[in-house]
Amino acid sequence: QDCRWFSTPGQLVYESLAKLFRGSRYLSHHQRAVYLSLQKIILASGNPGKLTELRAMLREKKVDLISQSDLDVSEVEETGLNFAENALIKARHACKETGLPAIADDSGIEVDALGGKPGIYSARYAGVSGATADAENNVRLLQDLKEVPEQDRTARFQCVIVYLLHE
């Protein structure tokens, strides 16, 4: 697997999706026909910033990326045990509701000193939602790390992207 550092999470997403679309030359004749006919893909996210960023990245691929909220697709509960399961749950839900191929992701921070927490619970770590959630999640994370020496505060950002052609 190609492991590189990326300057932004968006660049990581772009490289991952670019590999997916570049891979079309290795598809069978039937798969290539299906691939080339794809014009509309639903983004299984209500995040407008994510939609804008991914639209810009996929523009040259002639992909019409549509937000699930534009088609009144509800958010689905993330009941998976890891990032891949949650991304797949979201992609399956959007695909099933619309009949369109779907792109979904799940991401979060894994802190070594906390045994990998908050992990898949990163967005709701402080138990709140809304405009203050990010700030409150950061406060909770720093509180949980207050006894951990700075040199032991290692972590990584994980992001899993799923592309689902049909359910």
Side-chain angles (χ1 to χ4, degrees), residues 51-52 62 75 104:
L51 179 66
T52 300
K62 297 183 179 17
E75 298 276 337

Side-chain angles (χ1 to χ4, degrees), residues 23-34:
S24 65
R25 67 177 175 231
Y26 302 109
L27 299 177
S28 71
H29 192 69
H30 171 73
Q31 290 171 320
R32 186 176 295 112
V34 170

Side-chain angles (χ1 to χ4, degrees), residues 124-127 135-145:
R124 50 195 180 277
Y125 193 51
E136 293 189 46
N137 287 335
N138 289 338
V139 168
R140 162 98 192 266
L141 185 58
L142 291 172
Q143 285 174 342
D144 290 352
L145 289 170

